[in-house]
Amino acid sequence: MDWADELAASVDGPQVVNDSKTPSGTVHVGSLRGPVILDVIARALRARGTATSLLYGVDDLDPMDAQALLTPDAIEQEMGRPLAHVPDQAGDCHASYARHHAQTFIDTFAGLGIHPDRYYWMSDLYASGAVDPYIRTALDRAEAVRAIYRRVANVQHPADWHPLQVVCESCGKVGTTIVTRWDGERVFYECRANLVTWARGCSHAGLVGPFGGRAKLGWNLEWAAQWSIFGVTIEPSGKDLSTAGGSRDRADAIAREVFEREPPLNVPYEFLNIGGRKMSTSKGLGVAAHEIVRVVPPEQLRLLFLRPRPQTAIEFDPIGSDAIPRLFDEFDRLADATAGRPVRGELPAGHESVFRYSLLDPQADVAGIAAAFRPAFGHLALLRQIPGVDIDARVEAEKGAPLTRLETATLRERAAAADAWLGTFAPDKARISVNRERLPEEVEALESDQRAWLARLAAAAALDPSDPPGSGDAWQALIFSTAADVGLAAGRAFAALYLAFLGRPNGPRAGWLLASLESSFVVERLRAAAGEPGKETS
């Protein structure tokens, strides 16, 4: 997290950190990257003693322009209306479509340790008159705005175009209106049938005073107005907004040349992708943020966004993969490194800061938390599927000492996460059912070299009955070493294990599967599968 500490050291005076979101549908997990980055910036600033305000807004006067969650009969009526005016499609639990989806997203923040000092809704700001001075300035300087669009983005607006959209008095739509005249108090607007492809206007035209929520600024101008209203000094923005000539460049120019203020410092950040594709709120692509927080505990979810630098894209596909177990493993690896224990593989730059900022409490005892014992998530997911296992006793035995209060709480959290993962995103290979009474019939498919290796593994595991392999890592190392000793390819060795214990050629990480079972049962099953006389048979 060197980048956050460096940013905090580079600024002077009180800081206002801001972000906002258009709630055009179910908000996906990728949208949490902005709020997490925002929170880390605020923490880094406050750690240096800098007075900092953290804001988060909802751009709910934006027009509905996505059909993903609308019923067919609602598309014609609602497309183009302000999101704050669209009824809650999920029922009457919220005042509007915008309030439903935005609040569902915002409700995930506290659990992630994100606590903005203020939330704001643009529909409220417009209605209060707070945006009125900026509407007047933008209309008075419409030619300057048109010039900025031409110069910065090569967008050519007609000479009568004004940077405002009126909420149509007839049909209630805002995305279909265009303002072509301003007399200093009122604007002339038209609700054009074919202004946009995603909504149809009603062809109404009229003169209206554009204040008090009856109209909204175009997005780039509204963004710049937010900065002036709240005195924003730092605002991260996604890659799509930070491209050359894009929304951020336009808003920066508008802030300087129209509203006469210096724009806030930008911290561009990349997307979180699924299968190489950017998650999209409006298109319904991705896993909902409120769903992922039920499976991934907050500290691991914070790590997902913080391990890479903001400008690095994140590939994360939790559905039917081991992405979530790998996330836990990486958290544990960083904890080990922070505690001074040896780890494998390359560590991210500033790994201790990455671990510290992943924790929920900015004042947490980082050293104590890093040193705590944690059961591997994959191993715990296996234990949760084996009937009769005393999870607490097994984990305590693996630690070799009683669990502390923190370690017990971590075990509870991870056990719940493992259950949720197995019930939602886990691939089939992670789900197991070990028949402890009978050898699977599928072992008949084992070839002689695989049987010989199973016998070798059983002998190696039973060599010292007082000290059998206890951890997944220990079993994994023994699997590889014994397979190498007899010249058996690792893939064929693992397939033999899975057939012996699960009756199928694949499964979860083999070392952790064996570690989840009693060592005496493992040795007995290995010998039986190898065909040794006197052992269990199918």
Side-chain angles (χ1 to χ4, degrees), residues 83-89 91-100 103:
L83 289 162
H85 300 174
V86 176
D88 184 0
Q89 302 296 301
D92 297 327
C93 55
H94 291 86
S96 69
Y97 179 100
R99 293 274 172 170
H100 177 97
Q103 194 62 57

Side-chain angles (χ1 to χ4, degrees), residues 28 107-108 204 208 263 322 327 330 343 394 398 402 413 422 428 446 450 461 470 479 493 506 523 525:
H28 58 75
D107 286 345
T108 67
H204 177 77
V208 66
D322 61 352
L327 187 58
E330 179 64 4
V343 298
R394 179 66 68 88
E398 291 173 4
E413 180 181 71
L422 290 166
D428 290 340
L446 290 172
Q450 291 174 305
I479 291 168
N506 55 53
V523 171
R525 176 56 61 88

